[in-house]
Amino acid sequence: YHSPISHPSRSSHYCVCLQLIGNAHVYLKFLYHVLELQYNPVIIDYRGKQEGELRVEIYPVDDNGEEYDEPPNGLEEWIGKPINFDFKLIYGKGLTEKYANNVSVEFQFFNEPVIELDPIPGKKPNPEFNFRRLFKIEKITKELVDYLQNDAMTFKVKGYTDAAYKELMESQGMSHRPSNALGSTMEPPASAAPSASQELPSKPATPAVSEVEFKQAKDEAEKLRAEKRKLEVEKEELQKEMVERERKAKDEALATVTKDGDKAVKKQIDEMKKERDSAVCHIILCF
């Protein structure tokens, strides 16, 4: 994606390019189990270098915007039913400063249209996006189940290099003053051939990018699986502990009732003995 502008002192083909800083991946297995997802995915560039992180939160909610009290074991149990996802992209953090100019993010959820956020004007290594969108799914399908169980959302984080941002501001006569109008992204004209003097970001080899991103995605997926297994074990142990506590409580209550009952019976027997002894004494006195 590029945002081409003409430079008054150069060829009409000259353009300043919006550069891909890196990709961040969020695996959605928690949503398959209808559990909230709160995650800080790392932004990785084509060399495998960390370029910052994002803050993403997704909550499965009903039509009233409430989280589910009794989620299913898996979303297959709700096939044919509606579900909503309250999505939030809150902020970015620790972006490399030389790329953190007019930062924007592009992503897509399931079969929804691609979303590209308006750029955050100026140099912002810690941009505040505060983006929120409710994704409404009218009917859960097998396709959605497979997507949440196996796939990930990819967030493409983009920005201008310092040099490109300077050229962008100078071309608008702004001298580094940000403007919302400069953030749109579009494809360059097919006929536009870059001049020899044009500065373009280095273009990575496709196999290297694929291998790095695949390894990063695989590592993150494994971490999520480990976290999920840990949560399932903790949940099982907690359930066992609750069952044991309930059993002990019942036993203690039964013991208390039995003890109190024995005391009542003994008291009643003692009272009957007293009445009998009193009656015997009365008979003896009468004679």
Side-chain angles (χ1 to χ4, degrees), residues 237-247:
E237 291 177 351
L238 182 59
Q239 288 176 337
K240 289 180 180 179
E241 184 179 350
M242 291 175 67
V243 170
E244 183 63 20
R245 286 185 180 181
E246 185 178 353
R247 185 189 64 77

Side-chain angles (χ1 to χ4, degrees), residues 49-285:
K49 180 182 176 183
Q50 181 173 334
E51 296 287 353
E53 63 183 49
L54 301 175
R55 175 62 178 183
V56 177
E57 298 181 3
I58 311 177
Y59 301 88
V61 296
D62 58 24
D63 289 336
N64 296 320
E66 300 293 333
E67 296 183 42
Y68 295 96
D69 293 329
E70 298 181 2
N73 293 325
L75 211 57
E76 294 101 336
E77 298 180 10
W78 284 4
I79 284 182
K81 295 182 179 181
I83 192 171
N84 306 311
F85 296 99
D86 186 4
F87 171 87
K88 300 176 184 179
L89 175 55
I90 301 176
Y91 59 77
K93 184 171 69 173
L95 274 63
T96 302
E97 290 206 11
K98 66 179 180 179
Y99 299 120
N101 301 291
N102 282 22
V103 176
S104 68
V105 182
E106 177 186 317
F107 57 91
Q108 182 180 22
F109 178 79
F110 191 43
N111 291 330
E112 298 288 327
V114 174
I115 296 173
E116 183 160 6
L117 303 188
D118 292 335
I120 306 298
K123 179 181 282 294
K124 297 291 174 62
N126 300 303
E128 296 284 341
F129 300 112
N130 294 319
F131 176 85
R132 185 174 185 179
R133 175 70 57 84
L134 183 67
F135 294 113
K136 304 191 74 172
I137 307 297
E138 295 183 358
K139 188 178 293 185
I140 297 171
T141 62
K142 184 66 166 59
E143 184 183 5
L144 175 64
V145 171
D146 291 341
Y147 170 73
L148 297 180
Q149 192 171 15
N150 302 307
D151 289 349
M153 287 183 70
T154 297
F155 295 82
K156 298 180 179 180
V157 185
K158 308 173 186 178
Y160 289 94
T161 64
D162 286 340
Y165 184 65
K166 181 179 178 181
E167 294 286 352
L168 186 65
M169 295 299 99
E170 289 178 352
S171 70
Q172 301 294 323
M174 291 185 172
S175 183
H176 294 79
R177 293 180 61 189
S179 169
N180 287 330
L182 302 177
S184 61
T185 59
M186 63 183 73
E187 292 291 339
S191 60
S195 64
S197 61
Q198 180 178 348
E199 297 178 5
L200 292 174
S202 58
K203 189 174 182 180
T206 301
V209 175
S210 300
E211 290 174 6
V212 169
E213 291 185 350
F214 178 78
K215 184 178 183 302
Q216 178 67 22
K218 185 177 180 181
D219 291 344
E220 290 184 4
E222 187 57 38
K223 287 181 182 178
L224 279 176
R225 292 191 192 98
E227 290 175 4
K228 179 63 179 176
R229 288 193 294 269
K230 183 180 178 181
L231 285 173
E232 289 175 348
V233 171
E234 290 178 355
K235 181 180 178 181
E236 185 176 347
E237 291 177 351
L238 182 59
Q239 288 176 337
K240 289 180 180 179
E241 184 179 350
M242 291 175 67
V243 170
E244 183 63 20
R245 286 185 180 181
E246 185 178 353
R247 185 189 64 77
K248 288 183 179 180
K250 287 181 179 179
D251 291 345
E252 290 174 359
L254 182 60
T256 301
V257 170
T258 303
K259 186 177 180 181
D260 292 342
D262 291 343
K263 287 181 179 179
V265 171
K266 184 178 180 181
K267 183 178 180 182
Q268 187 175 4
I269 292 173
D270 290 342
E271 289 177 354
M272 290 175 65
K273 285 182 179 179
K274 288 180 181 179
E275 291 177 0
R276 184 196 63 188
D277 293 343
S278 177
V280 171
C281 291
H282 179 71
I283 292 172
I284 293 173
L285 291 174

